[in-house]
Amino acid sequence: MRLFALAVYLFLYVPIAVIAVFAFNGGRSATQLQGFSVQWFGRALSNPFVVDAFRTSLTVALASATLATVFGTMAALVLPQARPRLRAAFDALIYVAVMVPGIVIGIATLIALVTVFGWVNPVLAAVWPGEAPPQLGLGYGSLIAAHGLFALALVVLLVRARVAGMDRSLVEASADLGATPWGTFRQVTLPQIFPGILAGFLLAFTFSFDDFIIAFFVAGPQTTLPIYVFSSIRRGVTPEINAIGAMVLAASLTLLVVAQLLLRRGTSRARG
Amino acid sequence: MARRRIGATLLLAPAGLWLLAMLVLPLVVVLVFSFGERGPAGGYAPAFTLANFLNLGSRGAAFRNTLVLAPLGTLACLLIAYPLAYVLAMRVGERWRTVLLVLVIVPFWTSILIRTYAWIFLLGGQGIPKLLGWLGLGQPMLINTPFSVLVGIVYGYLPLMVFPIYVSLERLDKRLLEAADDLGAPPWRSFWQITLPLSLPGVATGCLLVFILLMGEFLIPAMLGGGKVFFVGNALVDLFLQSRNWAFGSAVAMALVVVMLVTVTVYMRLMRRWGGGRDDVALM
């Protein structure tokens, strides 16, 4: 039994280790080790396409995770008090957002936005007072909005679980003692739900940063890091991809560890 | 009370509008387009026809592959995940348990693209086949086969299966097992009659999660199937980005969602019946 478990752990981690090892390859070959060097990391970091793609991914992930966390937390907080019908409709939409495959969301967003832009752009051109009317198109906006959708559903689910487990009497006590609603939120509610909010933000960020399939459809002229890596692999396997992969893996591992530490601190603080 | 409700509605508004604009509107557009025609230069032309749905058979291979490999992949994940979750929940001490569990979950939160890329490497001509050849076992073609796609699936989704099974095994009342032991039941019997039935909710949840994600899979078959093993997801990418037939593509997407909903509903019904009408079975 234990041997089996060991084998599974090897299965999980050997491929990751192989990527990391080959990233330090001295030669040009992606499949044969020829000495040790860090040249491929240098190459990847000085490749303008990689840097650009990384910047796009980071911007989109930060923006979509932030917006989704703020709006999702707001929604999760008031959902218990909303009209039953509104709440049921909202719950159903969150469920659909999580259930429908990413590829369908990507396609649907692509054709809906292209169609809407096709109607709006001529109108904008007609009513625009200046010389060059703005052209709506796919890009940062559509990436952030599409990633934000799934992130929003994630945040609502996580924060709601926290809100449900919250001690309501503390909120009432705070109000009875004359605290303003904002004061109650900051000093009573927020510390209790903070771990949920943080977890939601980090999962939303990771999701957006790693997502390929939705971005593939709605990125327009932009290139995210996963899109860059995917198209490079199509062109052939090089140690540079290994270097990028090793860096991405290292970054997400660091993020996960930081998240764990923060979450643990958040929980102990919430418990007082 | 009225003021609180208005406040609540205002706080709900941004999230609600987001869901309407980025989820409801796009899905409605797909539904409408699926009854339309391909435009002369690709894209969509308004029409009302069932031709797209009648033509679904032309992508039958993609649906067949998905409906065979998604359940098979789920089963493979289950067969590996269950013993692992069992060891973690029953055979490992408190101290190591959390660390080992985190080690299973961590890969799931790193890039699936990069993790799948690792297998192009390992299964490709210079990887495991070469190793096997060196051991005198011949050089089998591993990549671009259903086998390589299955390996990628198990590698990608194993953590998602382990976690719910672990949770249900960990919650299991260990006194039941002690009682069975005291009453002289052999280990296999207490496993068969106590552990397995009580862990079924976790099994059901894990299978559901993995199956749902596999139905919409694109990356793994695209990278490890080499155009020979393709899912509905690959057909969709082809239809929207290569042949630009939005109307037919929308019909394929609708069909995928419907097939998914039907299988999931039937599955949940079955699980509920086997679970003796218990509500917690198969809930996420």
Side-chain angles (χ1 to χ4, degrees):
Chain A
M1 275 299 237
R2 272 155 202 265
L3 224 67
F4 176 81
L6 183 72
V8 177
Y9 280 99
L10 283 177
F11 170 69
L12 283 176
Y13 282 93
V14 164
I16 293 179
V18 167
I19 289 191
V21 167
F22 275 89
F24 291 101
N25 195 355
R28 311 194 96 271
S29 159
T31 47
Q32 268 172 333
L33 275 181
Q34 293 156 332
F36 174 90
S37 102
V38 290
Q39 58 159 328
W40 295 108
F41 288 93
R43 285 249 185 127
L45 290 175
S46 58
N47 179 342
F49 293 109
V50 176
V51 176
D52 232 39
F54 174 74
R55 197 179 295 137
T56 307
S57 278
L58 197 65
T59 313
V60 170
L62 275 177
S64 62
T66 308
L67 288 172
T69 307
V70 173
F71 294 157
T73 305
M74 278 160 53
L77 279 171
V78 296
L79 265 180
Q81 293 139 29
R83 288 184 201 86
R85 256 197 215 166
L86 187 66
R87 191 168 62 212
F90 205 90
D91 281 343
L93 287 182
I94 294 287
Y95 181 68
V96 172
V98 177
M99 278 274 288
V100 173
I103 192 164
V104 175
I105 296 280
I107 285 165
T109 311
L110 168 78
I111 60 177
L113 288 181
V114 168
T115 309
V116 170
F117 292 158
W119 290 335
V120 172
N121 277 334
V123 177
L124 258 181
V127 299
W128 194 254
E131 281 290 297
Q135 281 270 331
L136 296 180
L138 298 170
Y140 277 106
S142 54
L143 276 169
I144 293 169
H147 279 175
L149 173 76
F150 185 77
L152 184 79
L154 215 61
V155 172
V156 170
L157 288 174
L158 284 166
V159 177
R160 263 190 89 180
R162 278 270 159 182
V163 172
M166 206 169 71
D167 193 347
R168 281 260 146 215
S169 57
L170 288 176
V171 175
E172 280 156 26
S174 162
D176 286 348
L177 292 170
T180 59
W182 175 245
T184 305
F185 172 74
R186 275 223 29 180
Q187 301 202 318
V188 180
T189 312
L190 193 59
Q192 288 193 69
I193 61 171
F194 183 71
I197 297 178
L198 188 69
F201 177 83
L202 289 169
L203 292 189
F205 181 90
T206 326
F207 159 76
S208 167
F209 196 79
D210 287 344
D211 168 72
F212 166 75
I213 194 65
I214 297 177
F216 194 44
F217 285 104
V218 303
Q222 300 298 332
T223 303
T224 64
L225 199 56
I227 294 179
Y228 175 80
V229 171
F230 183 79
S231 47
S232 315
I233 294 172
R234 282 270 155 111
R235 271 181 266 125
V237 180
T238 65
E240 193 185 340
I241 303 175
N242 287 56
I244 300 172
M247 287 190 280
V248 169
L249 291 178
S252 34
L253 290 184
T254 317
L255 200 68
L256 281 167
V257 172
V258 171
Q260 275 293 321
L261 293 176
L262 280 175
L263 273 180
R264 217 164 273 173
R265 251 183 54 196
T267 327
S268 57
R269 211 188 322 157
R271 281 193 196 129
Chain B
M1 201 58 200
R3 256 187 67 191
R4 264 180 78 185
R5 279 216 162 148
I6 292 171
T9 314
L10 276 179
L11 284 173
L12 264 182
L17 288 177
W18 203 329
L19 287 168
L20 286 180
M22 297 305 295
L23 182 68
V24 178
L25 172 75
L27 290 180
V28 169
V29 170
V30 170
L31 183 65
V32 171
F33 277 26
S34 67
F35 293 101
E37 280 171 350
R38 183 178 191 273
Y44 163 79
F48 186 81
T49 159
L50 289 173
N52 297 316
F53 289 99
L54 296 174
N55 194 22
L56 280 177
S58 67
R59 295 282 168 168
F63 279 96
R64 264 197 305 281
N65 282 341
T66 310
L67 284 173
V68 170
L69 284 174
L72 219 67
T74 312
L75 184 69
C77 280
L78 176 63
L79 290 179
I80 296 175
Y82 197 99
L84 181 66
Y86 185 85
V87 171
L88 288 180
M90 303 288 198
R91 295 277 183 271
V92 176
E94 292 277 344
R95 238 170 82 219
W96 284 98
R97 202 182 278 172
T98 321
V99 179
L100 287 175
L101 188 68
V102 168
L103 279 177
V104 177
I105 312 283
V106 158
F108 189 70
W109 286 108
T110 63
S111 166
I112 188 157
L113 177 65
I114 309 248
R115 285 187 300 132
T116 310
Y117 164 71
W119 284 99
I120 297 189
F121 228 73
L122 287 169
L123 295 175
Q126 300 293 316
I128 292 173
K130 200 174 179 189
L131 195 72
L132 290 175
W134 187 71
L135 290 171
L137 295 169
Q139 288 207 10
M141 169 83 175
L142 292 180
I143 200 154
N144 303 342
T145 60
F147 170 76
S148 60
V149 174
L150 272 180
V151 170
I153 286 172
V154 173
Y155 191 62
Y157 294 111
L158 189 67
L160 207 58
M161 184 70 92
V162 173
F163 193 65
I165 299 178
Y166 168 82
V167 170
S168 64
L169 282 171
E170 216 246 326
R171 276 199 206 134
L172 188 148
D173 191 346
K174 307 288 188 299
R175 285 172 306 183
L176 291 172
L177 297 174
E178 283 162 25
D181 191 41
D182 288 347
L183 293 171
W188 65 265
R189 197 155 165 214
S190 54
F191 174 79
W192 195 247
Q193 296 201 323
I194 299 169
T195 313
L196 189 63
L198 287 177
S199 62
L200 277 186
V203 171
T205 307
C207 289
L208 191 66
L209 289 176
V210 172
F211 182 75
I212 287 177
L213 285 175
L214 282 182
M215 289 293 284
E217 188 58 50
F218 161 78
L219 261 186
I220 296 173
M223 291 172 77
L224 299 173
K228 284 181 217 145
V229 186
F230 45 87
F231 278 28
V232 178
N234 306 74
L236 282 172
V237 168
D238 177 56
L239 281 170
F240 278 91
L241 300 180
Q242 304 295 321
S243 45
R244 284 183 43 79
N245 189 342
W246 288 8
F248 184 45
S250 296
V252 173
M254 286 306 300
L256 175 65
V257 172
V258 168
V259 169
M260 217 180 92
L261 287 179
V262 169
T263 8
V264 169
T265 313
V266 169
Y267 175 82
M268 283 171 99
R269 284 264 163 84
L270 282 177
M271 279 296 142
R272 213 162 275 172
R273 188 170 304 163
W274 288 343
R278 285 174 44 182
D279 267 352
D280 57 346
V281 176
L283 287 184
M284 287 198 226

